[in-house]
Amino acid sequence: MNILNYTEEHHEFRKRLQDYFAKEVTPYAAKWETDHIIPKEAWKKAGKAGFLCTSVSKEYGGIGGDFIYSAIVCEEMTKTFQTGLAMSLHSDVVVPYIDEYGSEELKKRFLPGCVSGDIVAAVAMTEPDAGSDLSSLTTTAVEDGDEIIISGSKTFISNGIHCDAVIVAAKDPAVENPYQAMSLYVVEDGTPGFTRGRHLDKMGWHSQDTAELFFNDCRIPKANLLGEKGYGFLMLMGKLQQERLVCAMGAVYGARQVIDGAVEYFKTTKDASGKPLSKYQAVQFALVEMETDVRIAETFIQKLIADHMEKADIKTETSMAKYWTTDLANRVSGRCLEMMEDFGMVEQNPMVQAWRDFRITSIFAGTNEIMKFIVAKLMQL
Ligand SMILES: Cc1cc2nc3c(=O)[nH]c(=O)nc-3n(C[C@H](O)[C@H](O)[C@H](O)COP(=O)(O)OP(=O)(O)OC[C@H]3O[C@@H](n4cnc5c(N)ncnc54)[C@H](O)[C@@H]3O)c2cc1C
């Protein structure tokens, strides 16, 4: 039984997306991974084809779709074995800040471009000395007439090279309480004082442009403030449920790819006597255990998607899911590679890339230790 109610429209959307990926993404994925970046044009093509920001309402160019559309995009994306066209990050993690907290003017200015792919979005919280503990960030935002002056640096920002609009968390130095000092601002590419640093060379997510960003007395209009001044921390917290859920969804859908690939490999690979490796009990038990784990994860994630669509407060469950599913994806991919022996070491095995890419998922969107720290608090331990 599928917990989610897929409609004909959802199925039709998935089919169109699969056709689109087969033509415009999968054939280029290996090159993008080698290039360590995707062509920016890929964002525009995905947007023009109608696959970005599906939740944005028709008024701003979107289709006003429910969260199942986001789940479909996330699931189909894991099958493309590339991370540069980070559609879920753009559509379901970053743009919702503008959609929910932006003024009417900001929404009109940014949302249509985010939907069409002409504006690639990023969110910049992390700094060289502030990761898990956002209260210690040092980027400042100082008012000067009708402008805000942003100063500071950010690091490990996904879409950092390609982004046209970046949501920056910064503090008013005049406010003592670090949580009340924080606000979110939209900074546009081309604003004087906004520059890129290194395009970070990572062990995984090779085609994803993760970068350092610098703000040197960067003046933006006061109108680029998201929501109310001093509510930045609360806005970030408000969006974390969806961010963690999206991260967990990616881990589960990715783990499904890995276990399916492994089952196929062990059924079709034979030993010297011609016996398929899947006929050995040690292999069977390992595959059965991993398949069981992935099915449990799939059921859990479907339930959470359904709850999230009903706007239930599932912060505890999404924090649990984020750490447990990303650990699971790491475990499953590592175990499959180990069982594949020499084939588990070669680059043409897509599972090698999956293993590298999963490594990162326990770190971003809040580390897995932080997830347990949050759950412990929510359990009042
Ligand atoms: C590929 C990639 C993409 C990213 N994309 C973005 C992005 O788009 N935007 C953005 O803002 N950031 C992004 N990040 C940054 C990411 O969110 C941070 O790396 C993460 O929040 C952890 O921060 P840190 O690396 O500074 O580790 P730290 O916070 O310094 O933590 C170091 C270790 O201490 C542990 N720890 C810290 N505090 C506690 C605690 N209270 N209890 C228990 N353990 C604790 C952590 O779990 C971790 O193991 C990205 C990172 C990566 C790797």
Side-chain angles (χ1 to χ4, degrees):
M1 188 193 93
N2 203 317
I3 297 169
L4 300 174
N5 291 318
Y6 287 94
T7 62
E8 265 315 303
E9 284 78 20
H10 292 132
H11 292 306
E12 191 268 336
F13 177 82
R14 187 191 292 277
K15 177 75 184 68
R16 276 198 299 117
L17 182 62
Q18 285 171 339
D19 291 346
Y20 178 80
F21 280 163
K23 194 161 155 257
E24 299 290 350
V25 175
T26 311
Y28 308 102
K31 177 167 170 25
W32 294 352
E33 285 291 303
T34 315
D35 291 351
H36 282 219
I37 193 138
I38 67 166
K40 198 160 178 192
E41 199 54 32
W43 282 104
K44 295 188 187 179
K45 280 188 181 172
K48 305 282 179 291
F51 298 121
L52 294 180
C53 306
T54 49
S55 65
V56 168
S57 67
K58 290 184 180 158
E59 194 185 346
Y60 305 109
I63 59 168
D66 61 22
F67 196 68
I68 292 181
Y69 287 94
S70 304
I72 292 170
V73 171
C74 185
E75 184 173 6
E76 294 303 324
M77 232 184 66
T78 61
K79 299 177 188 169
T80 65
F81 283 93
Q82 61 78 39
T83 50
L85 187 61
M87 291 162 74
S88 299
L89 169 75
H90 170 86
S91 306
D92 302 311
V93 174
V94 187
V95 174
Y97 283 106
I98 301 176
D99 201 5
E100 185 166 336
Y101 303 122
S103 62
E104 194 50 37
E105 191 252 315
L106 281 184
K107 287 197 211 186
K108 282 196 176 120
R109 194 140 58 91
F110 289 104
L111 290 181
C114 293
V115 174
S116 67
D118 291 307
I119 296 176
V120 178
V123 61
M125 298 176 258
T126 306
E127 298 182 357
D129 294 317
S132 303
D133 180 13
L134 284 181
S135 70
S136 61
L137 65 82
T138 57
T139 297
T140 55
V142 177
E143 287 187 22
D144 184 28
D146 283 344
E147 293 182 322
I148 311 275
I149 309 168
I150 311 259
S151 303
S153 62
K154 300 285 180 182
T155 191
F156 276 99
I157 306 309
S158 305
N159 293 348
I161 298 294
H162 279 326
C163 64
D164 302 284
V166 52
I167 295 166
V168 180
K171 278 192 206 154
D172 180 345
V175 179
E176 209 172 305
N177 183 317
Y179 300 102
Q180 291 167 0
M182 201 184 297
S183 302
L184 301 182
Y185 302 91
V186 187
V187 178
E188 288 173 82
D189 185 31
T191 310
F194 169 32
T195 53
R196 269 103 175 158
R198 287 173 299 159
H199 177 173
L200 299 167
D201 193 8
K202 311 176 297 297
M203 69 161 280
W205 282 52
H206 283 167
S207 57
Q208 162 59 223
D209 51 313
T210 315
E212 297 171 320
L213 305 180
F214 299 114
F215 304 91
N216 190 3
D217 286 339
C218 174
R219 284 176 176 269
I220 58 166
K222 232 177 174 175
N224 283 21
L225 167 74
L226 279 180
E228 278 184 58
K229 187 167 179 274
Y231 281 77
F233 189 77
L234 287 177
M235 288 192 273
L236 289 173
M237 295 303 116
K239 285 274 153 249
L240 285 181
Q241 172 166 307
Q242 179 156 311
E243 179 175 341
R244 286 173 193 153
L245 178 57
V246 169
C247 190
M249 283 154 51
V252 176
Y253 299 145
R256 167 53 61 204
Q257 293 308 305
V258 167
I259 189 69
D260 284 354
V263 167
E264 180 64 17
Y265 173 83
F266 287 108
K267 277 170 121 173
T268 52
T269 308
K270 299 182 174 113
D271 68 6
S273 70
K275 182 173 162 178
L277 297 181
S278 61
K279 294 293 173 199
Y280 287 97
Q281 198 177 53
V283 172
Q284 290 175 351
F285 282 13
L287 291 176
V288 167
E289 283 168 17
M290 288 189 279
E291 176 68 29
T292 308
D293 281 347
V294 173
R295 285 195 195 192
I296 291 168
E298 285 171 336
T299 311
F300 187 31
I301 219 70
Q302 280 187 32
K303 162 88 168 68
L304 293 188
I305 293 172
D307 289 345
H308 183 64
M309 287 174 72
E310 285 178 8
K311 302 202 182 325
D313 181 349
I314 47 165
K315 284 190 200 71
T316 309
E317 292 80 359
T318 48
S319 304
M320 289 170 169
K322 196 272 166 180
Y323 94 74
W324 190 76
T325 60
T326 55
D327 279 354
L328 171 80
N330 273 290
R331 236 179 11 252
V332 166
S333 57
R335 195 171 180 191
C336 287
L337 288 192
E338 202 168 305
M339 286 164 60
M340 287 175 178
E341 304 288 353
D342 52 2
F343 189 58
M345 291 298 295
V346 293
E347 283 293 336
Q348 70 260 38
N349 179 352
M351 251 165 264
V352 171
Q353 188 191 325
W355 175 79
R356 269 203 310 258
D357 290 347
F358 285 142
R359 181 65 202 87
I360 281 163
T361 60
S362 59
I363 302 169
F364 58 27
T367 68
N368 285 5
E369 290 77 21
I370 292 297
M371 293 304 107
K372 291 173 201 174
F373 173 80
I374 291 166
V375 176
K377 267 191 162 179
L378 292 166
M379 287 170 68
Q380 301 179 335
L381 299 177

